[in-house]
Amino acid sequence: MSSSLLADASKILAKAMKYVSISEDAIEYLKYPQASLAVSIPVRMDDGSLKIFPGYRVRYDDTRGPTKGGVRFHPNVTMDEVQSLAFWMTFKCAVLNLPFGGAKGGITLNPKTLSRMELERLSRGYVNAIADFIGPDIDIPAPDVYTNAMIMGWMMDQYSIIRRQICPAVVTGKPITMGGSLGREAATAMGAFFTIEDIMAKLDRKPAETTVAVQGFGNAGAIIAELLFKAGYKIVAVSDSQGGIYAPAGLDIPSIRQYKLSSKGIKAVYCEGSVCSIVEHEVLTNQELLALDVDILVPAAIENQITAYNADDIKAKYIFEVANGPVSSDADTILEAKNIEVFPDILVNAGGVTVSYFEWVQNRSGLYWSLQEVNQRLRLKMVEETDRIWQIAQEHSIPMRTAAYVHALNRLGEAIDAKGTRDYYTNPDPHHG
Ligand code: GLU
């Protein structure tokens, strides 16, 4: 494999392998994406001109079930990035024991420059281009960075038009009126919250004595900041792509969220108006936020935020990865030496795909659940898998990330073996009757 994001992402396999009795065949399978599709999407722009956007969909591994993963709209989207995100989805679904493999998709563009109608044409064009690659039993897209329920609704509708039948289970994260699940929008943050609460209880830490900095104020970042604030944690800093604010006495997250929502623009920095006067604050950059001396750091933006370049500056005690891949593998090694515990993305942000799974189940059964039922089931799953990974980490004295991969590899290895590997046929093992 060349030096790439995927190569970096898959370095973890070598570390985790030492603690798993998994066949060499299974590891070999997991090093490569199963199928990668690159498409060109023609879009008629509002001014009448034609623009072609590059799009991707990668199904990384489907041994445990149809593949699952979001679609992101972002200027940095490349095939390599989509492949590594699909790799993470494979392990994330296995960590949560969902009957899914991993996938990811993306379109390379700055979505802030398109009108709503252009975005609709682009989303429908993407589905036209990948329709034969997805399906309720094949591959199920969902929201990710800069995509939302409205976009998922267009995608589901377009797929249904192509198939000439209503197919709600082809996409998750849809509007509630189109078969979306209650609780899906807040699910990534809610799942992270359940994991943080579970871990803080194990560490015997009280919320009021715990300071938190959150990088990223999108769907995941803003909601996790608010959930932690309401549970009594002291949120001292938040940021968006434009920069952040810091107040050692703690920020009033609900009013910052309100201000950001009412100012509409995705680029709005919350402290240009009235909210700023609520509490004394300093303005800081994203890099400064990451280096704050806090108990908990929550990177909730995009990948590769903590790398070999800035890992030495990190002072937080615990990092909970709400974004996918915010800590590079080099940074992981540096943080481990500094005794900073990193709670990995494939566990911490798995609430999103878990409620996506609930949505898919509801779509297929036709029976819809209350918000309370969704959150209760989510809590059960997050706590169960957090506890198991914690035990694996304790048992082998390994970081939580390695433990999470060990846990996922055990499940993936068993499934790959059951399909037929050399070890499966030559070694008498417990899977044989
Ligand atoms: N995009 C989310 C993730 O990275 C959710 C994926 C899904 O719901 O399928 O986990």
Side-chain angles (χ1 to χ4, degrees):
M1 239 175 298
S2 62
S3 152
S4 65
L5 207 58
L6 176 61
D8 192 62
S10 55
K11 272 188 193 159
I12 186 73
L13 290 182
K15 283 193 196 169
M17 245 175 83
K18 296 180 205 149
Y19 308 95
V20 189
S21 53
I22 181 173
S23 68
E24 275 178 29
D25 286 10
I27 288 286
E28 198 56 24
Y29 268 119
L30 289 169
K31 282 188 194 156
Y32 303 91
Q34 187 176 302
S36 304
L37 178 67
V39 296
S40 302
I41 311 155
V43 177
R44 182 68 58 201
M45 306 302 279
D46 291 347
D47 67 1
S49 65
L50 178 75
K51 257 197 182 162
I52 312 284
F53 294 89
Y56 307 93
R57 186 75 190 167
V58 172
R59 297 203 311 251
Y60 198 91
D61 178 80
D62 67 356
T63 316
R64 288 176 43 85
T67 53
K68 186 86 192 81
V71 180
R72 64 173 53 183
F73 288 0
H74 195 274
N76 297 346
V77 167
T78 59
M79 177 61 97
D80 176 42
E81 185 200 46
V82 175
Q83 286 178 336
S84 58
L85 288 158
F87 169 90
W88 287 319
M89 285 309 302
T90 306
F91 288 84
K92 196 185 294 185
C93 292
V95 160
L96 268 290
N97 210 7
L98 310 179
F100 289 139
K104 202 77 172 198
I107 304 179
T108 317
L109 86 156
N110 179 356
K112 295 171 200 170
T113 61
L114 264 63
S115 73
R116 212 178 241 243
M117 281 203 245
E118 287 166 344
L119 270 182
E120 178 182 350
R121 292 194 284 269
L122 176 70
S123 306
R124 290 183 185 276
Y126 179 64
V127 172
N128 290 340
I130 65 165
D132 293 329
F133 204 68
I134 62 173
D137 292 302
I138 303 169
D139 175 34
I140 305 119
D144 197 75
V145 174
Y146 290 141
T147 50
N148 57 19
M150 181 175 67
I151 292 172
M152 295 307 116
W154 293 329
M155 290 190 180
M156 186 285 254
D157 185 50
Q158 190 63 24
Y159 186 82
S160 300
I161 290 170
I162 293 169
R163 293 278 170 259
R164 300 189 78 76
Q165 52 181 275
I166 307 299
C167 307
V170 69
V171 170
T172 58
K174 301 178 293 292
I176 305 298
T177 46
M178 292 177 81
S181 175
L182 294 172
R184 175 62 186 85
E185 197 140 340
T188 305
M190 190 63 84
F193 176 71
F194 292 142
T195 290
I196 294 175
E197 285 273 271
D198 190 40
I199 298 288
M200 289 301 120
K202 290 188 200 308
L203 299 170
D204 213 13
R205 284 201 73 104
K206 307 273 167 296
E209 293 149 21
T210 307
T211 54
V212 183
V214 180
Q215 185 211 19
F217 215 66
N219 179 40
I223 302 179
I224 188 68
E226 185 152 331
L227 288 171
L228 290 170
F229 173 86
K230 288 191 173 148
Y233 291 80
K234 204 201 271 187
I235 317 297
V236 296
V238 292
S239 68
D240 68 9
S241 57
Q242 307 299 298
I245 52 170
Y246 171 56
L251 296 162
D252 182 56
I253 301 299
S255 51
I256 294 172
R257 253 194 101 189
Q258 206 43 51
Y259 178 74
K260 176 131 178 158
L261 283 176
S262 64
S263 68
K264 290 236 165 60
I266 301 171
K267 280 192 269 185
V269 184
Y270 11 89
C271 253
E272 278 164 358
S274 56
V275 178
C276 301
S277 47
I278 292 172
V279 61
E280 284 277 303
H281 70 274
E282 284 172 43
V283 176
L284 79 184
T285 64
N286 270 290
Q287 283 306 318
E288 287 164 341
L289 178 140
L290 295 173
L292 284 175
D293 189 1
V294 287
D295 297 308
I296 296 181
L297 175 62
V298 179
I302 50 173
E303 62 269 11
N304 262 334
Q305 297 300 295
I306 303 174
T307 63
Y309 295 105
N310 61 355
D312 262 332
D313 303 334
I314 308 295
K315 298 175 203 72
K317 295 190 182 65
Y318 312 105
I319 298 178
F320 285 87
E321 294 183 325
V322 168
N324 286 309
V327 178
S328 74
S329 62
D330 292 350
D332 244 351
T333 314
I334 299 169
L335 296 174
E336 199 184 330
K338 288 172 61 124
N339 265 330
I340 298 173
E341 181 96 58
V342 181
F343 295 87
D345 46 9
I346 58 167
L347 168 68
V348 176
N349 74 26
V353 70
T354 301
V355 176
S356 273
Y357 164 54
F358 296 161
E359 181 171 326
W360 181 81
V361 169
Q362 293 171 75
N363 292 154
R364 292 165 71 101
S365 71
L367 182 67
Y368 287 82
W369 309 349
S370 68
L371 179 61
Q372 197 191 13
E373 182 165 4
V374 169
N375 282 335
Q376 265 170 2
R377 285 182 187 265
L378 175 62
R379 190 174 181 288
L380 276 178
K381 274 197 121 8
M382 293 304 299
V383 171
E384 184 182 347
E385 305 302 342
T386 303
D387 287 353
R388 284 208 192 186
I389 294 169
W390 178 265
Q391 278 162 15
I392 296 170
Q394 304 289 308
E395 197 182 313
H396 299 289
S397 296
I398 52 176
M400 284 292 280
R401 189 189 310 281
T402 316
Y405 277 86
V406 167
H407 188 37
L409 271 178
N410 278 325
R411 287 181 173 149
L412 279 159
E414 201 174 317
I416 294 171
D417 277 353
K419 277 195 171 178
T421 57
R422 188 158 65 177
D423 289 15
Y424 188 76
Y425 293 120
T426 51
N427 294 345
D429 73 24
H431 314 317
H432 289 271

